[in-house]
Amino acid sequence: MVNRFLNITLILFAIFLFAQDSSIEKKKKELEKIKAELQQLQSELDAKSRKEKLTYESYKNLNRQSHLISRLISSLQKDETEKELQIEKIRKEISLIETEINDIKNNYTKYVVSVYKYGKTSKLEALIDAKNFNQAILRVKYLREFSNRRKSDIERLLENKTKLAEANKILLKELEEKRILKESKEKEISELNKRLKEEKKVLALLRKDKSNISKKLNDKRKSEAQIKNLIDKLIEEAERKKEVAVKKENKVSENKNVPVNENDYDIDLSTKYFASFSDLKGNMIWPVNRGKIVTQFGEQRNRKLNTVTVSYGTDILARGELSVKIVADGVVSAVEWLPGYGTVIIVSHKGGFKTVYGHLAEVYVSEGDKLKTGALIGKVGETLEGNILHFQIWNGRQSVNPENWLKKL
């Protein structure tokens, strides 16, 4: 039974590794694309003069690089975690194989000791010593079964030794891949810290020039429209996936060859098993600890610049810890970079609600991650106004005032 289980486990693991190939290939292409863009951005920055490197445009370049590196780190961390799970699984399989080998060896040892003590009884001796015919038949049958079992044990022993060698080979390969992933992640973390330091240096100079705030406001105005477009796209994708699911169910129940067109957006946006979002109104946790709202929801007038902007959310000043938490059970639906808001994460919740988190310096999650309330998703970044988190809540295609939802401090 154990041997059969080992066979099935190893076959399933082999199928799992094969199925991963296409996913790994897709991920490789995505990472190559990110690295190519990073190289392009750095080349553009290197081509600038020392003075040009201290402009708002150069800051955006650095901020975009930080976003891309942070995505690389998040991807590498996810791969490393998956690799650890695979390694643990292989180690358990190795332990089962070793247990099976030891059991076979112990049984065979008992057989050898028995033969040494009492001698090996032949079929003829069994017949001669038998008291009656029935006893003779039973003895011969037992000796035949005993002999077959010994032969089967030796075959199983050799088979398990082969499996053990193969499992150890896979383990060594997985351990080496994990080591490479860890080294790559540490290298990218070092690169991210370097970019963040450069950003901080440029920001300190940009704050002295009022025109930079005006440039940022223009960027934010454009990005607000992009966020709305992203929300619309996510809603459309979720609706399309529901339609696909219904078509599949109908196809199975009616047993018809109905063509179903899958969409390229392969993230599971289902929120079926999440806790209610609407029940949190007025009692929702804050996305940052000790936060203070510095820009309110709706139309905002800047008297110094004589400008009017419409904010779909609020700006929260992080006065202590910079970690950003998800405010309700949800699935990470988008991780994007937008001028004026930097790295932006959009999370889908139960009931068609979505939350948006902008101005992130670091990202700890990837698209498709399903998270529980309070899970860390990133770190607040530094902006011209300080450590600001931009936070939005959407009910379908309509933005709502986060202050009506957050717990009163």
Side-chain angles (χ1 to χ4, degrees):
M1 182 69 182
V2 176
N3 205 42
R4 188 184 169 202
F5 171 75
L6 289 170
N7 280 330
I8 294 168
T9 306
L10 286 171
I11 289 166
L12 288 173
F13 185 69
I15 292 168
F16 170 73
L17 289 178
F18 179 76
Q20 270 197 318
D21 286 347
S22 59
S23 175
I24 290 168
E25 193 57 37
K26 185 181 175 184
K27 192 172 281 188
K28 272 183 182 176
K29 286 179 181 176
E30 288 173 358
L31 294 179
E32 283 169 9
K33 189 179 175 183
I34 290 173
K35 286 178 180 178
E37 189 177 349
L38 269 169
Q39 195 172 4
Q40 177 64 29
L41 286 166
Q42 190 57 48
S43 297
E44 288 173 10
L45 195 62
D46 290 341
K48 293 179 182 291
S49 66
R50 189 176 177 183
K51 188 177 179 181
E52 286 174 326
K53 286 178 181 176
L54 302 175
T55 61
Y56 180 70
E57 289 304 315
S58 293
Y59 160 72
K60 284 202 292 184
N61 180 303
L62 286 166
N63 192 251
R64 173 71 177 164
Q65 285 193 57
S66 296
H67 163 79
L68 293 169
I69 294 170
S70 190
R71 289 200 72 170
L72 277 175
I73 293 167
S74 178
S75 179
L76 288 166
Q77 179 59 58
K78 197 170 185 178
D79 288 346
E80 190 181 347
T81 302
E82 286 174 1
K83 197 63 67 180
E84 283 171 358
L85 291 172
Q86 286 176 26
I87 288 167
E88 184 60 30
K89 189 177 179 182
I90 296 166
R91 281 182 169 147
K92 283 179 181 176
E93 287 164 6
I94 287 172
S95 178
L96 282 169
I97 295 168
E98 287 175 338
T99 301
E100 176 78 356
I101 288 171
N102 286 332
D103 287 346
I104 294 168
K105 283 181 176 178
N106 289 336
N107 287 338
Y108 203 78
T109 301
K110 288 175 184 175
Y111 166 70
V112 171
V113 169
S114 176
V115 169
Y116 177 77
K117 281 183 176 179
Y118 308 109
K120 187 173 180 180
T121 306
S122 68
K123 289 180 184 179
L124 183 62
E125 288 174 322
L127 286 168
I128 293 168
D129 292 345
K131 292 179 181 178
N132 54 52
F133 180 75
N134 285 337
Q135 189 183 57
I137 295 297
L138 286 171
R139 283 186 176 185
V140 170
K141 184 181 176 183
Y142 170 76
L143 285 170
R144 189 186 296 120
E145 286 177 0
F146 193 73
S147 176
N148 289 338
R149 188 174 169 189
R150 294 281 68 79
K151 185 181 176 183
S152 173
D153 281 350
I154 291 168
E155 287 173 355
R156 281 167 56 214
L157 181 64
L158 293 172
E159 186 184 344
N160 278 313
K161 281 190 172 182
T162 303
K163 286 179 187 172
L164 183 60
E166 185 60 31
N168 277 312
K169 188 179 173 183
I170 294 170
L171 178 61
L172 288 173
K173 180 176 172 285
E174 295 293 307
L175 286 168
E176 176 60 16
E177 286 180 5
K178 184 193 168 187
R179 183 190 66 77
I180 293 167
L181 281 169
K182 190 175 180 181
E183 282 183 3
S184 299
K185 185 185 75 176
E186 287 171 356
K187 182 186 172 185
E188 296 302 339
I189 289 171
S190 176
E191 284 296 316
L192 177 61
N193 290 332
K194 184 181 170 184
R195 295 299 188 286
L196 291 173
K197 279 181 184 177
E198 289 178 38
E199 271 186 62
K200 196 168 186 174
K201 206 181 291 182
V202 176
L203 276 171
L205 292 168
L206 294 180
R207 287 193 185 107
K208 297 173 184 177
D209 188 348
K210 198 185 291 183
S211 67
N212 290 314
I213 296 174
S214 179
K215 289 174 186 174
K216 186 181 178 182
L217 283 172
N218 286 332
D219 278 344
K220 285 175 79 171
R221 195 178 292 118
K222 293 172 188 174
S223 292
E224 287 284 7
Q226 286 180 272
I227 289 172
K228 191 176 188 309
N229 289 337
L230 279 170
I231 297 288
D232 288 340
K233 183 186 173 186
L234 289 169
I235 290 170
E236 287 165 11
E237 294 295 349
E239 288 171 351
R240 199 173 287 123
K241 281 197 169 288
K242 281 180 185 176
E243 287 174 14
V244 168
V246 169
K247 282 182 182 179
K248 279 185 176 179
E249 284 175 16
N250 291 339
K251 182 182 174 183
V252 171
S253 61
E254 296 173 15
N255 197 22
K256 292 179 181 178
N257 293 320
V258 180
V260 177
N261 295 319
E262 292 279 7
N263 195 272
D264 290 337
Y265 195 83
D266 57 358
I267 293 170
D268 177 13
L269 295 175
S270 172
T271 58
K272 185 179 178 181
Y273 300 105
F274 294 150
S276 172
F277 186 93
S278 57
D279 289 348
L280 297 173
K281 191 170 184 179
N283 201 37
M284 181 181 285
I285 66 166
W286 282 60
V288 289
N289 291 332
R290 296 183 62 236
K292 178 188 176 184
I293 292 175
V294 291
T295 302
Q296 293 179 317
F297 173 83
E299 195 175 278
Q300 302 296 313
R301 180 178 292 278
N302 189 312
R303 288 174 184 160
K304 289 181 181 178
L305 300 172
N306 194 28
T307 57
V308 176
T309 55
V310 176
S311 175
Y312 290 130
T314 59
D315 286 340
I316 302 172
L317 176 66
R319 296 177 291 181
E321 189 184 349
L322 301 179
S323 297
V324 180
K325 298 175 287 186
I326 186 174
V327 296
D329 294 358
V331 54
V332 178
S333 305
V335 181
E336 299 285 344
W337 183 87
L338 300 173
Y341 284 124
T343 298
V344 173
I345 293 177
I346 300 177
V347 180
S348 296
H349 307 277
K350 198 179 182 83
F353 287 91
K354 286 179 177 55
T355 51
V356 180
Y357 310 78
H359 289 315
L360 300 178
E362 296 177 35
V363 176
Y364 306 147
V365 293
S366 302
E367 290 168 346
D369 288 353
K370 291 183 183 289
L371 307 168
K372 300 297 288 181
T373 303
L376 297 183
I377 59 171
K379 187 176 176 182
V380 178
E382 190 171 355
T383 71
L384 287 168
E385 298 85 7
N387 294 118
I388 301 288
L389 173 74
H390 183 68
F391 179 62
Q392 300 180 5
I393 300 176
W394 290 74
N395 182 358
R397 288 181 167 85
Q398 183 65 47
S399 60
V400 295
N401 190 347
E403 288 188 66
N404 296 333
W405 289 77
L406 295 169
K407 190 185 291 183
K408 302 300 178 189
L409 296 176

